[in-house]
Amino acid sequence: MKPRDLRQLISLKPFERSSSARRLSGCHDVDDLRAAARRALPKSVFDYVDGGADEEVSLVANRESFRRFHLVPRAMQDVTSVNLATRVFGAELRAPIGLAPTGYTRMVDPAGELAVARAANSRGVPYVLSTVGTTTIEDLAISIPRNLWFQLYVLRDRGLTWSLMERANAAGVTTMEVSVDTAVSGRRLRDVRNGFTIPPTLTLSTLTDIAFNYRYWIKMITSPALSFANIAPATDDGNPTIADISSLFDPTVSWDDLADIRARWPGQLLVKGPLSPADAERAVGVGVDGVHLSNHGGRQLDRAIAPLELVRPVRERVGEDCTIVLDSGVRHGADVLIALARGADLCMVGRPYLYGLAVAGEQGVGRAIDLLIEQLHRTMQLCGLTSLADLREHGEEIVMLNETAVAPSRPREDPR
Ligand SMILES: Cc1cc2nc3c(=O)[nH]c(=O)nc-3n(C[C@H](O)[C@H](O)[C@H](O)COP(=O)(O)O)c2cc1C
């Protein structure tokens, strides 16, 4: 071999100066982002994001529900150009993908909700700010003036609840979703075993953790302190914990409350967390504009059914005019295609963008969204589909349930 031929064989990439770009360069799917997030975060913070309730049966079932479907492509269609755009509640979205509300986001990275919202906004997809977010509704609205969504927990203090709704409306929030699956907090055993608290406290194990994850802790210590920015209950030391916040949630929330919220909220209203088709139908009867089928990513009621199983029966009950949003277990663009073929309008993700945030802030969230969009785009092409209308028309032939096969799934590592 001549030296010139040898030179051609060796391909040395220029050194990537940005550490975020370096960390993202090895992330080619959501599982890669998850693995990188695991390296970037202290164990207890990673487990808080990644874990589910009790035995994590629902957490695993959510993912497996998508793998029970097989794709039967349509051959020889011209798929040169694919349009993923859709309209949800009158807003044009670049793809049928959104970012679900997650509490205490700045614990994952101090850039927090602002970074998440910016990444979503630049990709033309919606982001939902949580009641227990660490950024105020108003601060977010200044940065993201269009298509802002807000998630509401109904609090014991109805005055505080109504004032949150008024603030959201005044800030220009277009769509509000009321979470109804959190009468009490689910028991996430990884958090219990790790002795995890919000905010994190300095214990012997935190100190050991600092030694192993000094980059994370330096970032945290040099950023403004974390707080529940939108609801700040009065506590003796002025530092409310997640337990103080949870005690604000009202376990007596009823259908009358939903009707009350409907009467007070002038924008689009979704209810997040109903799982039975009967409840979804009842919510539509109360006047909601959509239902967000979710088992909270397996973080609340363990053994709760995977939302994907319910899309078709719910669609049959609520009719075509009701918007169906789905989350819990979406990790690939093909999952989005499957959910839409079953009758959903929009898929949301929680953990995938938090993994991205942990790895590389706003850029990392952007990578999570881009991966899902690229995967959906390619899966559409390989299935012979060019638009979501096309998917709706042919979804039934293309997405088939395999009743007998046991879906292959990657084994989850033992969390302990
Ligand atoms: C760390 C974390 C915090 C969450 N906080 C909230 C919250 O404050 N309000 C809410 O309605 N859902 C919350 N969720 C649930 C998400 O909105 C969403 O339903 C779930 O993450 C979807 O499942 P996935 O993570 O498998 O995509 C949270 C989820 C995670 C992972």
Side-chain angles (χ1 to χ4, degrees):
M1 199 180 267
K2 293 185 185 139
R4 200 186 52 200
D5 298 332
L6 195 63
R7 265 204 314 277
Q8 276 173 354
L9 269 182
I10 301 167
S11 135
L12 284 181
K13 284 192 196 147
F15 178 72
E16 179 55 71
R17 295 166 78 95
S18 147
S19 58
S20 297
R22 271 204 310 280
R23 282 195 295 273
L24 285 176
S25 66
C27 296
H28 306 295
D29 68 6
V30 170
D31 281 337
D32 287 340
L33 280 176
R34 176 176 181 265
R38 177 175 234 148
R39 291 191 293 273
L41 293 173
K43 180 180 185 312
S44 58
V45 178
F46 175 79
D47 278 345
Y48 162 72
V49 170
D50 193 64
D54 294 300
E55 297 168 283
E56 302 193 335
V57 174
S58 290
L59 181 68
V60 175
N62 287 342
R63 280 201 78 174
E64 293 194 340
S65 66
F66 289 95
R67 291 160 187 235
R68 290 177 57 226
F69 288 92
H70 293 218
L71 302 178
V72 186
R74 299 167 75 221
M76 288 176 284
Q77 307 295 316
D78 178 356
V79 292
T80 317
S81 121
V82 173
N83 182 5
L84 298 178
T86 186
R87 285 188 90 75
V88 174
F89 297 141
E92 175 92 10
L93 310 183
R94 190 174 139 215
I97 291 169
L99 307 189
T102 56
Y104 226 57
T105 309
R106 289 190 53 238
M107 186 172 57
V108 174
D109 184 283
E113 288 87 355
L114 275 175
V116 178
R118 283 199 193 107
N121 196 52
S122 67
R123 267 88 179 163
V125 300
Y127 163 60
V128 194
L129 175 67
S130 162
T131 296
V132 290
T134 39
T135 302
T136 64
I137 305 170
E138 292 78 8
D139 283 348
L140 208 64
I142 291 168
S143 300
I144 315 296
R146 69 188 168 98
N147 202 17
L148 184 59
W149 293 30
F150 178 67
Q151 173 266 324
L152 182 78
Y153 280 126
V154 180
L155 309 174
R156 288 173 199 267
D157 179 344
R158 290 297 193 273
L160 184 55
T161 313
W162 308 148
S163 89
L164 278 172
M165 286 170 55
E166 281 157 20
R167 282 173 54 196
N169 188 34
V173 168
T174 55
T175 303
M176 190 178 76
E177 48 182 31
V178 187
S179 293
V180 295
D181 56 3
T182 321
V184 295
S185 289
R187 188 162 159 84
R188 291 189 285 275
L189 290 182
R190 293 199 215 178
D191 295 350
V192 177
R193 292 187 179 115
N194 288 333
F196 176 73
T197 55
I198 292 183
T201 41
L202 275 185
T203 59
L204 192 61
S205 72
T206 330
L207 290 171
T208 321
D209 204 51
I210 287 174
F212 285 105
N213 298 280
Y214 66 94
R215 277 201 197 89
Y216 170 87
W217 288 106
I218 288 173
K219 240 180 353 186
M220 285 296 151
I221 289 162
T222 53
S223 304
L226 303 186
S227 70
F228 295 99
N230 292 298
I231 44 171
T235 53
D236 292 343
D237 58 3
N239 292 320
T241 63
I242 192 74
D244 297 317
I245 293 290
S246 301
S247 71
L248 300 180
F249 297 169
D250 189 348
T252 72
V253 174
S254 71
W255 288 94
D256 290 341
D257 292 302
L258 187 64
D260 205 357
I261 289 168
R262 173 68 288 181
R264 289 165 184 270
W265 178 251
Q268 304 288 343
L269 183 65
L270 280 156
V271 61
K272 177 173 187 274
L275 282 172
S276 83
D279 279 352
E281 188 178 23
R282 192 167 173 187
V284 171
V286 171
V288 301
D289 303 290
V291 291
H292 182 155
L293 303 180
S294 167
N295 63 18
H296 222 102
R299 295 168 74 81
Q300 281 295 112
L301 171 67
D302 196 22
R303 301 179 193 234
I305 186 167
L308 181 66
E309 312 278 351
L310 293 159
V311 178
R312 182 150 296 175
V314 167
R315 178 57 83 201
E316 278 162 14
R317 290 288 273 269
V318 300
E320 289 304 314
D321 292 341
C322 173
T323 298
I324 298 182
V325 180
L326 169 138
D327 75 26
S328 301
V330 174
R331 295 292 179 272
H332 193 284
D335 297 339
V336 178
L337 184 145
I338 290 166
L340 264 63
R342 303 291 292 167
D345 296 294
L346 178 69
C347 284
M348 289 211 173
V349 291
R351 295 182 185 85
Y353 78 78
L354 292 177
Y355 300 144
L357 181 68
V359 176
E362 181 179 337
Q363 258 184 288
V365 178
R367 172 61 61 91
I369 303 169
D370 292 343
L371 281 170
L372 293 167
I373 293 181
E374 278 164 27
Q375 291 164 342
L376 175 59
H377 191 276
R378 183 173 301 103
T379 310
M380 292 275 289
Q381 287 179 304
L382 290 172
C383 283
L385 296 165
T386 57
S387 69
L388 300 188
D390 218 9
L391 170 58
R392 258 170 232 120
E393 190 183 336
H394 299 287
E396 197 122 339
E397 309 144 38
I398 291 177
V399 173
M400 284 181 50
L401 181 64
N402 185 337
E403 305 275 3
T404 49
V406 175
S409 66
R410 288 191 199 182
R412 290 186 66 82
E413 319 83 310
D414 185 351
R416 274 155 285 173

